[in-house]
PDB file of all heavy atoms in Angstrom:
ATOM      1  N   TYR G  32      -4.102  -6.228   2.429  1.00  0.00           N
ATOM      2  CA  TYR G  32      -4.142  -5.337   3.595  1.00  0.00           C
ATOM      3  C   TYR G  32      -3.881  -6.121   4.879  1.00  0.00           C
ATOM      4  O   TYR G  32      -3.040  -5.760   5.694  1.00  0.00           O
ATOM      5  CB  TYR G  32      -5.535  -4.696   3.658  1.00  0.00           C
ATOM      6  CG  TYR G  32      -5.601  -3.381   4.406  1.00  0.00           C
ATOM      7  CD1 TYR G  32      -5.647  -2.185   3.716  1.00  0.00           C
ATOM      8  CD2 TYR G  32      -5.638  -3.337   5.794  1.00  0.00           C
ATOM      9  CE1 TYR G  32      -5.731  -0.968   4.377  1.00  0.00           C
ATOM     10  CE2 TYR G  32      -5.713  -2.129   6.464  1.00  0.00           C
ATOM     11  CZ  TYR G  32      -5.769  -0.949   5.750  1.00  0.00           C
ATOM     12  OH  TYR G  32      -5.845   0.253   6.420  1.00  0.00           O
ATOM     13  N   VAL G  76     -17.716 -24.434   1.374  1.00  0.00           N
ATOM     14  CA  VAL G  76     -18.740 -23.454   1.742  1.00  0.00           C
ATOM     15  C   VAL G  76     -19.251 -22.747   0.476  1.00  0.00           C
ATOM     16  O   VAL G  76     -20.453 -22.566   0.290  1.00  0.00           O
ATOM     17  CB  VAL G  76     -18.168 -22.418   2.750  1.00  0.00           C
ATOM     18  CG1 VAL G  76     -19.210 -21.367   3.098  1.00  0.00           C
ATOM     19  CG2 VAL G  76     -17.695 -23.128   4.012  1.00  0.00           C
ATOM     20  N   ALA G 124      -8.974 -15.275  -0.804  1.00  0.00           N
ATOM     21  CA  ALA G 124      -7.951 -15.505  -1.822  1.00  0.00           C
ATOM     22  C   ALA G 124      -8.452 -16.482  -2.876  1.00  0.00           C
ATOM     23  O   ALA G 124      -8.024 -16.443  -4.029  1.00  0.00           O
ATOM     24  CB  ALA G 124      -6.681 -16.053  -1.174  1.00  0.00           C
ATOM     25  N   TYR G 130     -15.203 -16.275  -8.154  1.00  0.00           N
ATOM     26  CA  TYR G 130     -16.409 -15.522  -8.539  1.00  0.00           C
ATOM     27  C   TYR G 130     -16.160 -14.757  -9.846  1.00  0.00           C
ATOM     28  O   TYR G 130     -16.976 -14.785 -10.765  1.00  0.00           O
ATOM     29  CB  TYR G 130     -16.805 -14.555  -7.423  1.00  0.00           C
ATOM     30  CG  TYR G 130     -17.984 -13.676  -7.793  1.00  0.00           C
ATOM     31  CD1 TYR G 130     -19.289 -14.142  -7.697  1.00  0.00           C
ATOM     32  CD2 TYR G 130     -17.788 -12.375  -8.280  1.00  0.00           C
ATOM     33  CE1 TYR G 130     -20.371 -13.345  -8.059  1.00  0.00           C
ATOM     34  CE2 TYR G 130     -18.861 -11.566  -8.640  1.00  0.00           C
ATOM     35  CZ  TYR G 130     -20.153 -12.058  -8.532  1.00  0.00           C
ATOM     36  OH  TYR G 130     -21.212 -11.273  -8.900  1.00  0.00           O
ATOM     37  N   ALA G 150      -5.302  -5.834  -6.897  1.00  0.00           N
ATOM     38  CA  ALA G 150      -5.897  -5.376  -5.638  1.00  0.00           C
ATOM     39  C   ALA G 150      -5.126  -5.894  -4.427  1.00  0.00           C
ATOM     40  O   ALA G 150      -4.995  -5.187  -3.420  1.00  0.00           O
ATOM     41  CB  ALA G 150      -7.353  -5.818  -5.566  1.00  0.00           C
ATOM     42  N   PHE G 183      -4.646  -1.765  13.027  1.00  0.00           N
ATOM     43  CA  PHE G 183      -5.584  -2.878  12.790  1.00  0.00           C
ATOM     44  C   PHE G 183      -7.006  -2.362  12.624  1.00  0.00           C
ATOM     45  O   PHE G 183      -7.772  -2.856  11.785  1.00  0.00           O
ATOM     46  CB  PHE G 183      -5.503  -3.895  13.934  1.00  0.00           C
ATOM     47  CG  PHE G 183      -4.171  -4.580  13.977  1.00  0.00           C
ATOM     48  CD1 PHE G 183      -3.214  -4.224  14.914  1.00  0.00           C
ATOM     49  CD2 PHE G 183      -3.855  -5.550  13.034  1.00  0.00           C
ATOM     50  CE1 PHE G 183      -1.972  -4.829  14.927  1.00  0.00           C
ATOM     51  CE2 PHE G 183      -2.613  -6.165  13.038  1.00  0.00           C
ATOM     52  CZ  PHE G 183      -1.669  -5.796  13.987  1.00  0.00           C
ATOM     53  N   ALA G 208     -26.990 -21.866 -12.067  1.00  0.00           N
ATOM     54  CA  ALA G 208     -27.371 -22.957 -12.964  1.00  0.00           C
ATOM     55  C   ALA G 208     -27.170 -24.299 -12.267  1.00  0.00           C
ATOM     56  O   ALA G 208     -27.989 -25.209 -12.383  1.00  0.00           O
ATOM     57  CB  ALA G 208     -26.551 -22.889 -14.252  1.00  0.00           C
ATOM     58  N   GLY G 225     -23.911 -12.126 -21.808  1.00  0.00           N
ATOM     59  CA  GLY G 225     -24.122 -13.460 -22.374  1.00  0.00           C
ATOM     60  C   GLY G 225     -25.592 -13.677 -22.691  1.00  0.00           C
ATOM     61  O   GLY G 225     -26.324 -12.719 -22.892  1.00  0.00           O
ATOM     62  N   LEU G 262       1.195 -26.169  -9.566  1.00  0.00           N
ATOM     63  CA  LEU G 262       1.371 -24.762  -9.920  1.00  0.00           C
ATOM     64  C   LEU G 262       1.277 -23.869  -8.672  1.00  0.00           C
ATOM     65  O   LEU G 262       2.063 -22.926  -8.496  1.00  0.00           O
ATOM     66  CB  LEU G 262       0.278 -24.368 -10.926  1.00  0.00           C
ATOM     67  CG  LEU G 262       0.548 -23.128 -11.748  1.00  0.00           C
ATOM     68  CD1 LEU G 262       1.797 -23.324 -12.592  1.00  0.00           C
ATOM     69  CD2 LEU G 262      -0.651 -22.815 -12.649  1.00  0.00           C
ATOM     70  N   VAL G 302       7.022  -1.544  -8.042  1.00  0.00           N
ATOM     71  CA  VAL G 302       7.369  -2.348  -9.228  1.00  0.00           C
ATOM     72  C   VAL G 302       6.395  -3.525  -9.368  1.00  0.00           C
ATOM     73  O   VAL G 302       5.917  -3.836 -10.467  1.00  0.00           O
ATOM     74  CB  VAL G 302       8.832  -2.853  -9.108  1.00  0.00           C
ATOM     75  CG1 VAL G 302       9.114  -3.948 -10.131  1.00  0.00           C
ATOM     76  CG2 VAL G 302       9.791  -1.694  -9.306  1.00  0.00           C
ATOM     77  N   ALA G 326       8.091 -15.592 -17.185  1.00  0.00           N
ATOM     78  CA  ALA G 326       8.251 -15.256 -15.772  1.00  0.00           C
ATOM     79  C   ALA G 326       9.215 -16.205 -15.075  1.00  0.00           C
ATOM     80  O   ALA G 326      10.130 -15.763 -14.376  1.00  0.00           O
ATOM     81  CB  ALA G 326       6.892 -15.286 -15.069  1.00  0.00           C
ATOM     82  N   LEU G 332      16.781 -16.280 -13.538  1.00  0.00           N
ATOM     83  CA  LEU G 332      18.014 -15.540 -13.859  1.00  0.00           C
ATOM     84  C   LEU G 332      18.237 -14.405 -12.856  1.00  0.00           C
ATOM     85  O   LEU G 332      19.371 -14.158 -12.422  1.00  0.00           O
ATOM     86  CB  LEU G 332      17.929 -14.991 -15.288  1.00  0.00           C
ATOM     87  CG  LEU G 332      17.951 -16.088 -16.372  1.00  0.00           C
ATOM     88  CD1 LEU G 332      17.770 -15.478 -17.762  1.00  0.00           C
ATOM     89  CD2 LEU G 332      19.263 -16.881 -16.311  1.00  0.00           C
ATOM     90  N   LEU G 337      21.067 -12.212  -8.121  1.00  0.00           N
ATOM     91  CA  LEU G 337      20.992 -11.811  -6.711  1.00  0.00           C
ATOM     92  C   LEU G 337      22.038 -12.548  -5.874  1.00  0.00           C
ATOM     93  O   LEU G 337      22.755 -11.952  -5.064  1.00  0.00           O
ATOM     94  CB  LEU G 337      19.579 -12.101  -6.192  1.00  0.00           C
ATOM     95  CG  LEU G 337      19.234 -11.685  -4.771  1.00  0.00           C
ATOM     96  CD1 LEU G 337      19.462 -10.192  -4.566  1.00  0.00           C
ATOM     97  CD2 LEU G 337      17.772 -12.020  -4.455  1.00  0.00           C
ATOM     98  N   LEU G 339      24.791 -13.865  -6.953  1.00  0.00           N
ATOM     99  CA  LEU G 339      26.128 -13.390  -7.342  1.00  0.00           C
ATOM    100  C   LEU G 339      26.429 -12.035  -6.701  1.00  0.00           C
ATOM    101  O   LEU G 339      27.540 -11.801  -6.221  1.00  0.00           O
ATOM    102  CB  LEU G 339      26.223 -13.276  -8.872  1.00  0.00           C
ATOM    103  CG  LEU G 339      26.253 -14.615  -9.620  1.00  0.00           C
ATOM    104  CD1 LEU G 339      26.203 -14.389 -11.129  1.00  0.00           C
ATOM    105  CD2 LEU G 339      27.496 -15.413  -9.237  1.00  0.00           C
ATOM    106  N   ALA G 340      25.428 -11.150  -6.675  1.00  0.00           N
ATOM    107  CA  ALA G 340      25.631  -9.819  -6.092  1.00  0.00           C
ATOM    108  C   ALA G 340      25.965  -9.940  -4.608  1.00  0.00           C
ATOM    109  O   ALA G 340      26.772  -9.181  -4.072  1.00  0.00           O
ATOM    110  CB  ALA G 340      24.381  -8.961  -6.292  1.00  0.00           C
ATOM    111  N   ALA G 363       5.486 -10.504 -11.094  1.00  0.00           N
ATOM    112  CA  ALA G 363       4.238  -9.760 -11.275  1.00  0.00           C
ATOM    113  C   ALA G 363       3.649  -9.949 -12.669  1.00  0.00           C
ATOM    114  O   ALA G 363       2.444  -9.861 -12.861  1.00  0.00           O
ATOM    115  CB  ALA G 363       4.474  -8.276 -10.999  1.00  0.00           C
ATOM    116  N   LEU G 403       8.848 -19.582   7.016  1.00  0.00           N
ATOM    117  CA  LEU G 403       9.421 -20.030   8.288  1.00  0.00           C
ATOM    118  C   LEU G 403      10.905 -20.341   8.134  1.00  0.00           C
ATOM    119  O   LEU G 403      11.725 -20.024   8.993  1.00  0.00           O
ATOM    120  CB  LEU G 403       8.670 -21.297   8.733  1.00  0.00           C
ATOM    121  CG  LEU G 403       8.998 -21.823  10.119  1.00  0.00           C
ATOM    122  CD1 LEU G 403       8.367 -20.922  11.167  1.00  0.00           C
ATOM    123  CD2 LEU G 403       8.476 -23.254  10.275  1.00  0.00           C
ATOM    124  N   LYS G 410      20.751 -17.196   7.202  1.00  0.00           N
ATOM    125  CA  LYS G 410      21.827 -17.119   8.187  1.00  0.00           C
ATOM    126  C   LYS G 410      22.930 -18.130   7.854  1.00  0.00           C
ATOM    127  O   LYS G 410      24.114 -17.817   7.906  1.00  0.00           O
ATOM    128  CB  LYS G 410      21.248 -17.399   9.572  1.00  0.00           C
ATOM    129  CG  LYS G 410      22.128 -16.906  10.687  1.00  0.00           C
ATOM    130  CD  LYS G 410      21.399 -16.852  12.003  1.00  0.00           C
ATOM    131  CE  LYS G 410      22.391 -16.633  13.130  1.00  0.00           C
ATOM    132  NZ  LYS G 410      21.823 -16.997  14.425  1.00  0.00           N
TER     133      LYS G 410
END
Side-chain angles (χ1 to χ4, degrees):
Y32 204 102
V76 178
Y130 176 81
F183 294 103
L262 200 61
V302 166
L332 292 176
L337 184 57
L339 289 174
L403 187 74
K410 199 165 168 198

